[in-house]
Amino acid sequence: MTRLSSNWLAVYAIIYMIFLYAPVVLLPLFAFNDATIIALPLSGFTTAWFEQLWGNQTLRTAAINSLIVAISSAVIATLLGAFAARAAARYSFPGKTGIIGLIMLPLVLPEIIVAVALLVALSQLGLSLALWTVVVGHVLICTPFAVAILSSAFRGLDRELEEASFDLGESRWGTFRRVTFPLVLPGVISSLLICFTISLDEFIIAFFLTGTDVTLPVYIWSQLRFPARLPSVMALGTILLVLSILFLVLGEWMRRRAARRQGQDAAAGGAMTGVA
């Protein structure tokens, strides 16, 4: 009975993965198709659609805008996430659970609700839409991810290492720079990579909050109205897909590396304490 359940579970997992990732597999497949019509069977292999991307000035501008927004959002969200994660892991204060819950709230809120709320707030304040407004929106949705990643990094940090640094006469800033930050650095890099990927691929908030300087996802959406440009859009989507997967894999690798490193440091610290 247990073996039969395991077989059905494996079949279910395979069907689920096919349903989930079949559209993703079709994206690069049609990006190399030598036809402007997206249909099977494929008419031939070509890289012309990728070559067309290099000569598109509007595309390059949108890509630069997306990089500016993604880098800015990742850095700011990681800084804010580090502050919140450090406070949550090290200190107790009134309303701690509620405050952390509010910080994590954008994870469960629909993005369109967040986008409309930000648009109304900015309009009421009389602020014009630009790239910085997109950064504000992306920081809002990226900060919870940074907090989640960095909380595990700070919680896994052995406090005895910091206390040993204080006992040796090091200041708080020196302890953070020489002890704490190197230990949580893989978590910081993981947060930067994941926040960068989320911001780079995000469409709804960018669509509502961008002004005349569009980002890459907004540019892709605008090109869908022209059937002749659809293969180029598929090629661009393939590039974004590959970059996103690479950044996510690298971010997860850094997160696991941080967890292993902290586990080794904790074991070494425990051994030294036992010897003492």
Side-chain angles (χ1 to χ4, degrees), residues 86-137:
R86 175 71 175 181
R90 286 291 184 267
Y91 306 103
S92 297
F93 47 88
K96 174 181 175 180
T97 303
I99 293 173
I100 298 300
L102 287 175
I103 294 175
M104 305 300 289
L105 188 60
L107 286 177
V108 297
L109 287 177
E111 285 191 12
I112 190 169
I113 301 299
V114 176
V116 172
L118 288 173
L119 179 61
V120 172
L122 293 171
S123 299
Q124 291 298 318
L125 293 174
L127 300 174
S128 58
L129 300 180
L131 288 181
W132 74 268
T133 57
V134 182
V135 171
V136 170

Side-chain angles (χ1 to χ4, degrees), residues 106-107 111 114 136-145 198 202 205:
L107 286 177
E111 285 191 12
V114 176
V136 170
H138 285 184
V139 168
L140 183 62
I141 64 172
C142 288
T143 299
F145 290 94
I198 293 171
E202 202 282 326
I205 290 178

Side-chain angles (χ1 to χ4, degrees), residues 15-30:
I15 295 174
Y16 178 80
M17 296 295 288
I18 293 175
F19 173 79
L20 188 63
Y21 291 106
V24 177
V25 174
L26 291 176
L27 181 65
L29 187 65
F30 287 120

Side-chain angles (χ1 to χ4, degrees), residues 11-260:
V11 172
Y12 169 78
I14 293 173
I15 295 174
Y16 178 80
M17 296 295 288
I18 293 175
F19 173 79
L20 188 63
Y21 291 106
V24 177
V25 174
L26 291 176
L27 181 65
L29 187 65
F30 287 120
F32 291 101
N33 184 30
D34 187 17
T36 58
I37 299 176
I38 307 301
L40 293 173
L42 303 179
S43 61
F45 179 85
T46 182
T47 59
W49 311 121
F50 291 90
E51 296 171 2
Q52 288 182 4
L53 299 178
W54 297 108
N56 193 326
Q57 179 60 40
T58 305
L59 171 61
R60 290 202 297 267
T61 302
I64 293 173
N65 291 338
S66 285
L67 288 176
I68 293 173
V69 171
I71 293 173
S72 302
S73 302
V75 171
I76 297 173
T78 299
L79 285 174
L80 296 177
F83 296 150
R86 175 71 175 181
R90 286 291 184 267
Y91 306 103
S92 297
F93 47 88
K96 174 181 175 180
T97 303
I99 293 173
I100 298 300
L102 287 175
I103 294 175
M104 305 300 289
L105 188 60
L107 286 177
V108 297
L109 287 177
E111 285 191 12
I112 190 169
I113 301 299
V114 176
V116 172
L118 288 173
L119 179 61
V120 172
L122 293 171
S123 299
Q124 291 298 318
L125 293 174
L127 300 174
S128 58
L129 300 180
L131 288 181
W132 74 268
T133 57
V134 182
V135 171
V136 170
H138 285 184
V139 168
L140 183 62
I141 64 172
C142 288
T143 299
F145 290 94
V147 172
I149 295 170
L150 293 170
S151 290
S152 61
F154 280 110
R155 288 195 183 100
L157 182 63
D158 188 1
R159 295 189 182 187
E160 294 181 356
L161 298 176
E162 294 179 323
E163 292 173 357
S165 177
F166 292 142
D167 292 340
L168 293 174
E170 188 61 85
S171 63
R172 287 187 175 274
W173 167 246
T175 298
F176 177 82
R177 182 170 59 88
R178 297 174 182 272
V179 179
T180 306
F181 183 71
L183 291 176
V184 300
L185 181 58
V188 172
I189 296 176
S190 177
S191 174
L192 287 171
L193 291 172
I194 291 177
C195 290
F196 178 86
T197 303
I198 293 171
S199 177
L200 186 67
D201 296 338
E202 202 282 326
F203 168 73
I204 297 177
I205 290 178
F207 177 76
F208 276 87
L209 299 184
T210 189
T212 57
D213 300 324
V214 299
T215 60
L216 206 52
V218 177
Y219 169 80
I220 292 175
W221 177 85
S222 68
Q223 299 302 299
L224 295 178
R225 296 174 294 175
F226 309 101
R229 300 179 184 176
L230 189 56
S232 296
V233 172
M234 303 288 280
L236 181 57
T238 300
I239 295 175
L240 288 177
L241 175 64
V242 172
L243 290 177
S244 299
I245 293 175
L246 288 176
F247 283 134
L248 288 175
V249 170
L250 183 58
E252 179 63 16
W253 178 76
M254 293 299 297
R255 186 191 66 81
R256 293 189 179 187
R257 180 188 176 191
R260 290 196 303 267

